[in-house]
């Protein structure tokens, strides 16, 4: 889970912010840290150790050094899932941002009507990826689903081919579902960013006769650069880690063409029970994700 | 009010700075609302059809006649698709949510207060650990957690799964609680300290009640996280009687290939999402403030 704290800078003062130098603080934090140690630090160490072993669920665990990592080099199935995950990320990020920004611009005013609409825009966000994916799985069903029926009614042929059974239909359908489900998350962050802009700045640019989209491009967006960076990091990191929607809606199909990286790791660990290899894959994905976040942070900080 | 005044007011309310008149703005918003809501309403309508209607092709958009038959067979353990009535799985989800919410609240209010009010040895280490948690994706640690749990007998345990959820809610929750405590005036506690109150008593009796908005946000997000989480639940729980709701839905799907009754699956979806929608509507203010301050992925 990549969060925004890295970007908004307030963690920096986190450590220095206390007032009383007493031991009491230690005891307040200790219970949380026991959990972090047990369910995060220890598994984190374990994943590195496991990644250097041949680790079947049953049977003998043997140390194999870096073999899992070298195996990865020639694992074309894994390479395929990397490519597919990147394609999915590239496809889902722009529409998510456009819908998020568009809705944010529409309802950024703080009045009753705006918050009324906001409430409904939020509905897909709160229902959970599992529920949403199962809902859309049915919606797309060629027999009883409403979407093929709607397309039939609009004259798009008989829609007998299951949308989720073919490429690129399966991938596009998942992208639609995710945009529907997640756009309001970006909406609320962008809206909060825009509400933080001094209204006078916008008003003065209007007096200068700035055209609306120019105002957006040259004034509003640069002023919420921090928020934009956060939105992109969360969106890209989330997409690179996608699992639920593909597991439920496509099962990775057709022919594994929508299998994502995390899906592949999950299958290696919990279907093939190659825990050692899955651990090595996890390490590599974690490091890659860390790099993506760092690069993006640098990119958005430089532009300030 | 004169007509022009009303129009001016409408312009201000709806769309100043967005270069479209109020009516256009309203129309776009209504269309978007319909787009966001229609899949949810479709699911609800489909679940309220008779099993015959909900499995017939082509479908009708609205139920020809309303029926709760799909819900009834969901509640009925003898339907053959799930081994128990849906109430068992609702209960599993409730247990999981209670563990997660209570655990997260206790740990994050304490730690948030500790971070907000004290300097002490080891604070940097704790901080670094939490920062590392934010950066390492949770999914990457499923494999070792699965193995470690199998070693200590926590596999197939809702408690074990709940403890994992608690831990991964901590960075967001501690951050939010710490910010909440930061804005409560210190003087309130100092007076009590002069009277000889312990630090913990000050925390419990003075600070915690004042931190209510943060507490509600933390509890709400802990609930959503545990109620909707999928991959860890799918991995850690392999006996059907312990499945939480999202995992049970996979069962409703798997077993009905062939003679598909999607009304039945959608009834399961509706049961799963109703608590989320209800809580969101009641506590919307806290949901939004949590999202904005934490930027958490829900």
């Amino acid at each position: 889970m990549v969060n925004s704290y890295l970007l908004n800078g307030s963690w920096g003062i986190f450590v220095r912010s206390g007032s009383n130098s007493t031991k009491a603080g230690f005891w307040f934090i200790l219970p949380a840290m026991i959990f972090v140690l047990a369910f995060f630090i220890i598994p984190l160490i374990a994943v590195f150790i496991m990644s250097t072993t041949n680790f079947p669920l049953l049977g003998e665990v043997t140390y194999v050094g870096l073999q899992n990592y070298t195996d990865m080099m020639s694992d074309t199935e894994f390479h395929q899932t990397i490519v597919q995950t990147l394609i999915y990320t590239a496809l889902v990020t722009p529409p998510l941002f456009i819908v998020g920004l568009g809705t944010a611009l529409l309802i950024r005013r703080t009045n009753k009507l705006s918050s009324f609409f906001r409430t409904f825009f939020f509905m897909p966000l709160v229902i959970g990826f599992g529920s949403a994916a199962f809902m859309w799985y049915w919606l797309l069903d060629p027999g009883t689903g409403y979407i093929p029926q709607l397309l039939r009614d609009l004259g798009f042929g008989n829609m007998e081919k299951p949308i989720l059974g073919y490429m690129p239909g399966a991938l596009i359908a998942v992208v639609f579902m995710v945009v529907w489900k997640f756009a309001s998350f970006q909406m609320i962050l962008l809206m909060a960013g825009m509400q933080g802009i001094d209204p006078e700045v916008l008003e003065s640019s209007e007096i200068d006769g700035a055209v609306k989209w120019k105002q957006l491009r040259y004034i509003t967006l640069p002023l919420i650069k921090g928020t934009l960076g956060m939105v992109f990091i969360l969106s890209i990191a989330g997409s690179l880690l996608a699992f639920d929607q593909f597991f439920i809606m496509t099962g990775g199909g057709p022919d594994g063409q929508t299998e994502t990286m995390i899906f592949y790791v999950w299958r290696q660990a919990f279907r093939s029970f190659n825990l050692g290899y899955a651990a090595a894959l996890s390490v590599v994905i974690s490091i890659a994700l860390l790099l993506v976040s760092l690069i993006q942070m640098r990119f958005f900080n430089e532009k300030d | 009010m004169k007509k022009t005044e009303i129009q001016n007011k409408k312009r201000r309310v709806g769309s100043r700075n967005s270069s479209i008149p109020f009516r256009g703005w309203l129309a776009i918003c209504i269309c978007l609302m319909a787009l966001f809501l229609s899949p949810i309403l479709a699911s609800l309508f489909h679940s309220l059809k008779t099993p015959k209607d909900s499995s017939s092709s082509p479908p009708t958009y609205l139920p020809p006649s309303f029926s709760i038959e799909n819900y009834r067979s969901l509640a009925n353990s003898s339907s053959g698709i799930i081994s128990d009535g849906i109430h068992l799985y609702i209960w599993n989800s409730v247990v999981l949510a209670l563990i997660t919410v209570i655990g997260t609240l206790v740990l994050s209010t304490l730690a948030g207060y500790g971070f907000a009010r004290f300097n002490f040895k080891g604070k940097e280490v704790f901080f670094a650990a939490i920062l590392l948690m934010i950066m390492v994706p949770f999914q990457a640690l499923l494999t070792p957690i699965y193995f470690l749990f199998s070693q200590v007998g926590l596999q197939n345990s809702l408690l074990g799964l709940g403890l994992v959820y608690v831990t991964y809610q901590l960075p967001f929750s501690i951050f939010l609680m710490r910010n909440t405590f930061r804005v409560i005036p210190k003087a309130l506690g100092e007076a009590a300290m002069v009277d000889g109150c312990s630090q913990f008593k000050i925390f419990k009796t003075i600070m915690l009640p004042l931190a209510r908005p943060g507490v509600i946000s933390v509890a709400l997000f802990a609930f959503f996280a545990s109620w909707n989480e999928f991959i860890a639940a799918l991995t850690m729980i392999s006996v059907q009687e312990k499945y939480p709701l999202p995992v049970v839905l996979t069962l409703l799907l798997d077993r009905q290939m062939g003679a598909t009754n999607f009304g039945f699956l959608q009834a399961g979806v509706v049961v799963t999402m109703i608590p989320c929608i209800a809580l969101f509507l009641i506590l919307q203010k806290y949901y939004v403030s949590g999202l904005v301050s934490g930027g958490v992925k829900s």
Side-chain angles (χ1 to χ4, degrees):
Chain A
M1 194 193 289
V2 178
N3 283 335
S4 62
Y5 327 135
L6 288 170
L7 272 164
N8 62 24
S10 27
W11 279 99
I13 53 162
F14 209 116
V15 178
R16 297 186 300 271
S17 62
S19 52
N20 317 13
S21 275
T22 70
K23 273 189 186 144
F26 176 82
W27 296 108
F28 277 106
I29 291 173
L30 186 65
M33 283 310 132
I34 291 171
F35 271 62
V36 171
L37 180 71
F39 300 108
F40 174 67
I41 302 289
I42 291 174
L44 187 64
I45 295 166
V47 79
F48 279 102
I49 297 172
M50 287 172 82
S51 76
T52 61
T53 61
N54 180 15
F55 204 123
L57 191 61
L58 304 165
E60 207 175 325
V61 177
T62 48
Y63 176 76
V64 294
L66 294 177
Q67 204 203 317
N68 285 326
Y69 292 94
T70 50
D71 283 353
M72 226 178 282
M73 304 282 185
S74 54
D75 182 352
T76 51
E77 217 180 333
F78 178 51
H79 301 165
Q80 193 56 43
T81 61
I82 295 175
V83 172
Q84 284 162 190
T85 310
L86 291 175
I87 291 174
Y88 164 70
T89 304
L91 278 180
V92 81
T93 306
L96 255 183
F97 178 70
I98 291 166
V99 176
L101 181 66
T103 45
L105 285 169
L106 276 175
I107 53 124
R108 67 183 145 149
R109 311 264 141 220
T110 44
N111 60 50
K112 274 191 181 147
L113 208 51
S114 282
S115 38
F116 170 80
F117 285 121
R118 199 179 307 149
T119 303
F120 291 104
F121 293 177
F122 261 127
M123 285 299 175
L125 187 62
V126 303
I127 65 171
F129 253 111
S131 316
F134 283 110
M135 180 188 290
W136 279 68
Y137 182 86
W138 157 69
L139 277 172
L140 292 157
D141 177 64
T144 61
Y146 283 11
I147 290 174
Q149 182 59 29
L150 193 67
L151 293 173
R152 269 194 292 271
D153 290 346
L154 294 171
F156 283 90
N158 62 13
M159 301 306 294
E160 264 169 6
K161 254 170 60 168
I163 295 171
L164 290 171
Y166 292 88
M167 285 297 272
L171 186 57
I172 292 170
V174 172
V175 167
F176 261 89
M177 189 282 269
V178 172
V179 171
W180 171 78
K181 161 107 181 75
F182 224 71
S184 53
F185 174 72
Q186 306 211 346
M187 172 190 83
I188 194 69
L189 294 186
L190 292 169
M191 201 188 76
M194 284 189 239
Q195 283 172 351
I197 299 175
D198 185 355
E200 279 179 22
V201 175
L202 293 177
E203 267 160 33
S204 67
S205 76
E206 245 160 66
I207 295 165
D208 296 343
V211 188
K212 295 295 172 185
W213 72 265
K214 275 193 174 163
Q215 185 187 41
L216 179 68
R217 168 71 183 80
Y218 294 107
I219 295 161
T220 310
L221 290 184
L223 280 173
I224 57 167
K225 202 176 291 156
T227 311
L228 289 179
M230 184 168 86
V231 161
F232 276 112
I233 289 184
L234 289 173
S235 159
I236 290 172
S239 308
L240 292 175
L241 295 169
F243 174 80
D244 299 7
Q245 59 270 48
F246 288 102
F247 182 84
I248 294 166
M249 287 173 68
T250 70
D255 297 325
Q257 288 181 80
T258 58
E259 190 167 79
T260 57
M261 296 189 293
I262 293 294
F263 200 147
Y264 183 67
V265 176
W266 186 85
R267 206 159 52 83
Q268 282 294 332
F270 307 112
R271 284 293 174 269
S272 311
F273 297 110
N274 296 323
L275 297 187
Y277 188 54
L281 291 168
S282 301
V283 169
V284 168
I285 291 175
S286 302
I287 292 171
L289 221 79
L290 193 64
L291 289 177
V292 169
S293 299
L294 290 176
I295 291 167
Q296 289 187 68
M297 266 166 63
R298 168 156 293 188
F299 177 72
F300 280 99
N301 285 340
E302 258 175 19
K303 276 190 146 185
D304 272 336
Chain B
M1 228 189 283
K2 273 183 260 167
K3 202 182 169 190
T4 48
E5 270 177 349
I6 295 172
Q7 273 171 345
N8 281 341
K9 197 180 174 208
K10 274 183 176 171
R11 281 189 69 88
R12 268 204 305 282
V13 167
S15 60
R16 206 159 60 109
N17 284 348
S18 51
S19 75
I20 40 172
F22 176 75
R23 271 187 202 160
W25 176 83
L26 194 66
I28 295 171
C29 282
I30 290 172
C31 287
L32 279 170
M33 181 173 80
L35 278 176
F36 280 116
L37 274 187
S38 52
I40 296 172
L41 291 177
S43 172
L44 181 67
F45 286 153
H46 202 66
S47 72
L48 288 169
K49 290 174 181 172
T50 63
K52 191 168 159 287
D53 289 335
S54 65
S55 43
S56 74
S57 171
T60 54
Y61 295 117
L62 295 173
S65 59
F66 283 93
S67 154
I68 56 160
E69 200 48 49
N70 284 320
Y71 291 91
R72 202 171 280 155
S73 51
L74 209 53
N76 189 348
S77 53
S78 62
S79 64
I81 292 170
I82 42 178
S83 62
D84 294 271
I86 193 76
H87 48 270
L88 175 75
Y89 307 106
I90 295 175
W91 174 245
N92 289 343
S93 276
V94 168
V95 168
L96 207 49
L98 282 176
I99 295 169
T100 310
V101 169
I102 294 170
T104 306
L105 275 182
V106 171
L107 298 183
S108 70
T109 49
L110 285 170
Y113 187 68
F115 269 122
R117 283 295 152 88
F118 303 100
N119 281 322
F120 52 92
K121 235 177 155 180
K123 195 175 178 181
E124 290 84 355
V125 179
F126 289 162
F127 165 68
I130 287 178
L131 201 63
L132 195 61
M133 259 189 108
I134 295 165
M135 293 189 278
V136 177
F138 163 63
Q139 292 91 331
L141 296 180
L142 271 181
T143 309
I145 292 174
Y146 175 81
F147 167 70
L148 293 167
F149 272 25
S150 73
Q151 295 302 296
V152 295
L154 275 176
Q155 83 272 48
N156 285 323
S157 151
L158 290 174
L159 177 67
L161 187 57
L163 297 180
V164 173
Y165 289 169
V166 168
T167 309
Y168 288 87
Q169 279 304 106
L170 284 180
F172 160 76
S173 307
I174 291 175
F175 179 76
L176 209 147
M177 285 320 302
R178 175 259 184 196
N179 280 357
T180 309
F181 285 122
R182 288 271 302 162
V183 295
I184 299 174
K186 261 177 277 178
L188 288 171
E190 273 156 10
M193 205 139 91
V194 175
D195 295 341
C197 269
S198 71
Q199 289 287 3
F200 182 71
K201 203 171 172 196
I202 294 169
F203 163 77
K204 208 182 89 178
T205 56
I206 302 173
M207 295 303 171
L208 204 51
L210 291 171
R212 227 178 70 138
V215 168
I216 296 174
S217 285
V218 164
L220 193 61
F221 279 94
F223 173 83
F224 280 117
S226 71
W227 193 267
N228 292 327
E229 205 283 334
F230 185 71
I231 185 171
L234 181 76
T235 308
M236 301 297 167
I237 310 285
S238 56
V239 292
Q240 219 195 96
E241 308 87 71
K242 298 252 178 87
Y243 278 178
L245 283 169
V247 183
V248 162
L249 296 179
T250 61
L251 243 43
L252 304 187
L253 188 70
D254 285 350
R255 303 278 180 87
Q256 52 174 353
M257 287 305 183
T260 311
N261 176 7
F262 277 111
F264 188 61
L265 175 67
Q266 293 316 302
V269 168
V270 169
V271 168
T272 309
M273 69 184 177
I274 274 183
C276 300
I277 291 178
L279 272 176
F280 166 69
L281 288 177
I282 299 166
L283 300 170
Q284 193 185 157
K285 188 174 77 179
Y286 301 97
Y287 187 86
V288 173
S289 69
L291 272 188
V292 171
S293 63
V296 69
K297 288 210 102 169
S298 65

